[in-house]
Amino acid sequence: MGNNANASPLPDWSGVREFVAVAERGSFTRAAQWLGLSTAHISRQIQALEQRLGSVLLHRTTRKVSLTESGEQYWRQCRPLLDALAEAERSLGQWQTTPVGRLRVTAPMSYGERHIAPLLNSFAARYPQLQLHYWLTNQALDLTEQGYDLAIRVGPLQDSRLIAQRLAGRRLIVCASPEYLAAFGCPQSAQQLQQHHCLAGTLDYWRFADGQVVAISPRLRVNSGPALLDAALKGLGVVQLPDYYVDRYLDSGQLRAVLESYQPQEEGIWALYPNSLRASVKVRLLVEHLQAQLSP
């Protein structure tokens, strides 16, 4: 926060808590017991407070302590201020142990729809005081510049400024329907894909083992994993998709994996967040929730 040259100086709270304790318990001794302080300390603090205010707040006798008229007025004004301060401290303590307030998350579109969004929704249901905002996009948004707390990213990471925690892994699988393979044959090498009908997303190449990159000339191009899956199931060509799209269809026989010896190494699925949020309970608990649900 910037400095304001015209702002009033902050008030001196020394002795206020001790004064309110004496006013409400009618005794220096009982106030000292309640606050866990010595009677002498409380007396010194209140004397200093009275000197600072230029007003006597308490009538003191050997038998009892009572409020002066100015002390009564001062107590009535201080009591709600101390209550508000106590509530602020309670709220901060809750903030540090329970997810409350706003949490902004971004995730890839298709993976986010299928896997992340349901987990975010269950996390929001578990913590009703949390305001969870998430945005699904295939753009790699700048978290700091655009005000996001956490990003889900798939594959190689680019931004080393962010803390990265692995949530799960994914495998890229090349596959086609049995009908397509019966009609056009099964590719025996990645280079033979040039002779096949390829179904592609936004990239003009597919990645294989040992960092090999093969350019493709797609028969069909669409920026949607589910749409590519549907095209492959309908026998339109060969597709390379993450395992979470195709595993169930490989198990059922509706798709068959090809070029398995060329399959690239498993890629990571990551949670990324700024270093400034390392201690954030919201971020920590969400990452733990995602890891528990996504890890095998």
Side-chain angles (χ1 to χ4, degrees):
M1 297 179 63
N3 293 326
N4 187 344
N6 298 319
S8 300
L10 293 173
D12 186 348
W13 286 83
S14 302
V16 174
R17 184 177 62 146
E18 291 83 353
F19 162 70
V20 170
V22 171
E24 295 181 349
R25 278 152 182 79
S27 163
F28 280 83
T29 300
R30 287 194 290 270
Q33 291 172 344
W34 184 54
L35 295 177
L37 301 170
S38 70
T39 303
H41 172 82
I42 289 181
S43 179
R44 287 193 302 269
Q45 288 291 97
I46 294 178
Q47 285 178 359
L49 176 64
E50 289 177 322
Q51 291 175 1
R52 191 170 73 247
L53 296 175
S55 180
V56 176
L57 302 175
L58 297 169
H59 291 302
R60 301 165 176 86
T61 69
T62 56
R63 300 184 59 184
K64 69 174 187 175
V65 176
S66 60
L67 291 169
T68 64
E69 184 177 3
S70 59
E72 176 78 22
Q73 180 183 6
Y74 192 63
W75 171 77
R76 291 185 182 280
Q77 292 177 325
C78 288
R79 176 74 266 181
L81 295 177
L82 289 179
D83 290 341
L85 181 59
E87 178 59 30
E89 291 179 355
R90 283 193 296 269
S91 297
L92 180 59
Q94 182 185 43
W95 192 283
Q96 293 172 336
T97 58
T98 304
V100 296
R102 190 177 70 177
L103 180 62
R104 300 189 70 206
V105 180
T106 177
M109 179 66 73
S110 295
Y111 184 76
E113 286 179 336
R114 294 167 64 95
H115 298 280
I116 299 299
L119 299 182
L120 293 178
N121 293 339
S122 63
F123 188 75
R126 181 183 300 177
Y127 299 107
Q129 295 184 70
L130 183 69
Q131 301 168 20
L132 182 60
H133 299 177
Y134 59 91
W135 186 255
L136 303 182
T137 176
N138 290 330
Q139 290 183 307
L141 301 179
D142 186 302
L143 271 64
T144 303
E145 182 178 315
Q146 296 180 269
Y148 285 90
D149 302 299
L150 185 141
I152 307 301
R153 299 273 167 82
V154 178
L157 298 178
Q158 305 297 328
D159 197 338
S160 61
R161 299 171 302 165
L162 301 173
I163 295 175
Q165 288 189 244
R166 185 181 173 97
L167 301 177
R170 76 163 188 180
R171 296 172 295 117
L172 291 174
I173 298 176
V174 179
C175 57
S177 70
E179 293 77 14
Y180 174 86
L181 296 176
F184 296 95
C186 181
Q188 300 301 311
S189 69
Q191 288 70 26
Q192 287 186 9
L193 289 171
Q194 296 289 343
Q195 305 165 20
H196 282 265
H197 299 162
C198 292
L199 313 174
T202 57
L203 301 178
D204 291 319
Y205 59 86
W206 287 350
R207 289 181 285 117
F208 292 95
D210 301 322
Q212 183 180 8
V213 175
V214 174
I216 56 171
S217 301
R219 173 190 180 188
L220 180 148
R221 182 189 295 280
V222 58
N223 64 338
S224 165
L228 288 172
L229 172 63
D230 183 72
L233 289 169
K234 289 185 165 82
L236 296 184
V238 183
V239 70
Q240 185 181 59
L241 282 172
D243 50 7
Y244 48 80
Y245 281 110
V246 300
D247 274 349
R248 59 179 291 196
Y249 300 102
L250 295 172
D251 292 340
S252 69
Q254 293 174 266
L255 292 175
R256 282 177 48 195
V258 299
L259 302 177
E260 293 180 273
S261 62
Y262 289 82
Q263 183 176 300
Q265 291 186 335
E266 182 179 87
E267 298 178 328
I269 298 172
W270 308 88
L272 276 66
Y273 53 91
N275 187 64
S276 59
L277 294 178
R278 181 188 293 271
S280 167
V281 67
K282 294 178 288 190
V283 169
R284 177 176 59 81
L285 290 179
L286 177 56
V287 170
E288 290 176 359
H289 175 70
L290 294 174
Q291 285 176 324
Q293 300 298 319
L294 293 173
S295 298

